[in-house]
């Protein structure tokens, strides 16, 4: 049995002030990335994340958000299970009814259950700008990230850009590009959001080491009352600091067509 699942839920303990979030990502990875996808070369990977988010108004246009998260990463075979703990702080100012600017700080600890894999901390500090027009939406991040551990120490620029544009009724073009730090389990979640939920396994290596993830993706979707058609193409470059033998590039593309031929079919 193979498949993918991506779910997110949020419950308001106190509306507008305290929310509890739960998120789950399930899929398959290749044990040997250079062998074909087959039952003997697949393993299940699941990441479950939960925790509270506190929002404090600091006036009519400014708010402070504090979040705490716990994640459990489970691999079917590879010794990459981990318990991850993190927190974030965000100061957001509303520039208008459709745009906002924020300052964000995030810290996460990756604790592997197998002592052979070194645990490490990942820290991010970045500025975010969001704007949503009648036909265009833009989300942009720019900042700095750092990896620190007993055997790991690296830093670099963080940059992410997401743009979507409605070019005609039911027709949307989306572009994403960026550079940040990632790991094998986080990469599964990212590829699900870019490529959609299907039966394909996540490409790339399954390792405990973090890597710099450089990516670009382009997609187009056409949605009508009975017909949906979409195209997407994406490219990822994974660069391991001090372990160039692990570096790899991944290119993927997909076409999806669905048609309601009769009510319920």
């Amino acid at each position: 049995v193979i498949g993918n699942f991506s779910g997110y839920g949020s419950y308001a303990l106190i509306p507008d002030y305290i929310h509890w979030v739960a998120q789950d990502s399930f899929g398959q990875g290749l044990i040997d990335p250079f062998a074909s996808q087959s039952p003997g070369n697949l393993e299940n990977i699941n990441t479950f994340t939960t925790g509270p988010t506190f929002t404090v108004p600091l006036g009519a246009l400014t708010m402070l958000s504090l979040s705490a998260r716990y994640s459990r990463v489970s691999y079917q075979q590879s010794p990459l299970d981990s318990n991850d703990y993190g927190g974030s702080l965000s100061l957001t100012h509303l520039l208008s009814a459709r745009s906002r600017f924020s300052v964000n700080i995030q810290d996460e600890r990756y604790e592997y259950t197998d002592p052979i894999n070194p645990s490490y901390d990942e820290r991010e500090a970045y500025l975010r700008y969001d704007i949503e027009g009648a036909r265009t939406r833009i989300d942009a991040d720019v900042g700095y990230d750092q990896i620190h551990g007993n055997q790991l120490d690296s830093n670099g620029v963080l940059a992410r850009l997401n743009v979507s544009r409605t070019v005609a009724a039911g027709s949307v073009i989306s572009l994403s590009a960026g550079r940040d730090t990632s790991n094998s389990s986080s990469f599964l979640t990212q590829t699900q959001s870019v490529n959609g939920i299907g039966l394909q396994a996540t490409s790339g290596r399954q390792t405990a080491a973090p890597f710099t993830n450089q990516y670009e993706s382009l997609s187009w979707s056409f949605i009508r009352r009975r017909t949906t058609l979409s195209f997407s193409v994406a490219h990822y470059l994974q660069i391991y600091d001090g372990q160039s033998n692990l570096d790899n590039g991944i290119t993927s593309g997909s076409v999806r067509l669905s048609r309601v031929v009769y009510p319920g079919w």
Side-chain angles (χ1 to χ4, degrees), residues 13-195:
L13 300 174
I14 301 178
D16 300 328
Y17 293 99
I18 303 178
H19 287 77
W20 195 278
V21 170
Q23 185 173 2
D24 193 84
S25 177
F26 171 83
Q28 284 78 44
L30 298 176
I31 299 173
D32 181 355
F34 301 107
S36 62
Q37 179 175 324
S38 61
N41 193 37
L42 289 175
E43 65 174 331
N44 293 328
I45 306 171
N46 190 81
T47 300
F48 175 75
T49 301
T50 188
T53 296
F54 305 90
T55 303
V56 181
L58 300 178
L61 301 177
T62 305
M63 67 186 72
L64 178 69
S65 295
L66 299 171
S67 299
R69 294 289 186 267
Y70 163 76
S71 297
R72 172 64 180 176
V73 180
S74 303
Y75 279 76
Q76 185 179 9
Q77 296 187 38
S78 300
L80 301 176
D81 293 0
S82 67
N83 295 288
D84 308 333
Y85 310 87
S88 64
L89 181 149
S90 177
L91 181 64
T92 303
H93 180 71
L94 302 179
L95 301 175
S96 69
R98 291 180 172 269
S99 64
R100 63 181 62 192
F101 175 82
S102 64
V103 179
N104 303 271
I105 299 174
Q106 183 173 316
D107 193 343
E108 189 159 4
R109 175 71 175 174
Y110 294 89
E111 292 277 0
Y112 289 97
T113 57
D114 191 328
I116 195 174
N117 298 318
S119 300
Y120 64 92
D121 295 292
E122 178 183 352
R123 303 182 180 98
E124 296 181 354
Y126 59 93
L127 305 177
R128 168 170 289 177
Y129 176 68
D130 304 328
I131 184 170
E132 184 173 3
R135 300 174 64 184
T136 305
R137 178 181 176 87
I138 300 174
D139 304 321
D141 298 342
V142 61
Y144 176 85
D145 61 14
Q146 179 187 57
I147 295 293
H148 179 70
N150 292 334
Q151 304 177 31
L152 299 167
D153 195 2
S154 63
N155 54 74
V157 174
L158 179 152
R160 292 184 285 252
L161 175 67
N162 299 300
V163 180
S164 63
R165 170 77 174 177
T166 301
V167 294
S171 179
V172 179
I173 294 178
S174 300
L175 169 69
S176 295
R179 179 191 187 279
D180 56 18
T181 300
S182 187
N183 56 37
S184 296
S185 60
S186 299
F187 187 67
L188 168 64
T189 304
Q190 181 185 23
T191 54
Q192 284 182 333
S193 65
V194 173
N195 299 330

Side-chain angles (χ1 to χ4, degrees), residues 207-235:
T207 70
F211 54 83
T212 297
N213 183 34
Q214 299 179 12
Y215 61 92
E216 308 87 29
S217 68
L218 179 67
S219 65
W220 173 75
S221 61
F222 177 80
I223 303 174
R224 284 291 188 264
R225 188 173 63 89
R226 299 176 62 189
T227 304
T228 300
L229 174 64
S230 66
F231 299 88
S232 69
V233 61
H235 176 73

